[in-house]
Amino acid sequence: MVMRGSLLSALALVLAAGCSGEGMADTESASRTSTVPEETESESARSEEEAVAAYLQFWDAIVLASAEMDPEHPELEEHATGQALELAQFGVQGVLDEGHGMEGELNLDPEVSSAEPESAPTTVEIDDCQVGGDWRTVGTEEPEMDRVLVTATVERDVFDWWVTKMRIWGDHTC
């Protein structure tokens, strides 16, 4: 079995687990809120970009840890906590158990599906349709899985963004 399929399958198994006023108050309220969306959109957009960057860095760490067959690779802990970290370590352990490293890169296409709170997000949900790429078991020609839906939760603490939850849905799910 191709290791990418094994890694994604192993990862998937772990997861199979407004009111309106009247008069002058309306005018004032409307004029005040007309400038807020620009600031909110800017902060929201920046937060979403940072969350997506953290998600991409986490996958870079997974690819590196899989190539080195090291489930305790320190870069995994630099980008994820909780269930997402455990899932990644479990998947990389599967690579180690099979005795074949991974090589190549994934084709990632993350999109933000939601961000909370709206004004300055600290939790961002990401949907990613991973399309094969050339990430595969060392020595094989092609990846086994293609068009895999991955959903992830990325959260910001005081200092940084962390992938905290991740679910891999399987082949041809997007």
Side-chain angles (χ1 to χ4, degrees):
M1 178 149 93
V2 173
M3 286 311 301
R4 178 169 182 257
S6 297
L7 176 62
L8 291 175
S9 296
L11 293 174
L13 282 175
V14 170
L15 291 171
C19 293
S20 172
E22 293 183 15
M24 188 58 127
D26 280 345
T27 306
E28 290 174 10
S29 180
S31 67
R32 281 186 297 207
T33 60
S34 66
T35 59
V36 172
E38 291 176 19
E39 295 171 9
T40 301
E41 288 174 4
S42 175
E43 176 69 24
S44 180
R46 185 173 66 237
S47 293
E48 289 176 15
E49 288 172 8
E50 290 171 356
V52 168
Y55 172 81
L56 293 171
Q57 291 168 349
F58 178 49
W59 272 104
D60 287 345
I62 291 172
V63 169
L64 179 61
S66 296
E68 296 179 9
M69 297 186 299
D70 181 3
E72 299 299 321
H73 199 288
E75 286 200 28
L76 292 172
E77 290 182 0
E78 291 178 18
H79 304 290
T81 63
Q83 181 271 341
L85 176 60
E86 291 171 10
L87 180 64
Q89 289 172 325
F90 179 80
V92 176
Q93 182 65 50
V95 171
L96 177 62
D97 292 347
E98 291 289 326
H100 303 287
M102 302 290 291
E103 64 185 359
E105 297 292 327
L106 281 166
N107 287 338
L108 305 173
D109 188 24
E111 294 183 15
V112 172
S113 59
S114 68
E116 300 278 331
E118 197 172 308
S119 61
T122 57
T123 301
V124 174
E125 300 293 331
I126 294 176
D127 292 338
D128 184 8
C129 184
Q130 297 181 0
V131 183
D134 68 349
W135 194 42
R136 61 189 178 279
T137 304
V138 173
T140 61
E141 302 263 332
E142 295 184 26
E144 182 175 301
M145 296 183 75
D146 192 20
R147 301 183 49 76
V148 176
L149 176 62
V150 177
T151 56
T153 301
V154 185
E155 297 180 82
R156 185 175 70 199
D157 63 14
V158 175
F159 302 106
D160 211 351
W161 287 92
W162 301 90
V163 180
T164 58
K165 296 177 189 161
M166 188 166 64
R167 185 164 185 182
I168 300 170
W169 292 88
D171 202 18
H172 300 288
T173 51
C174 60

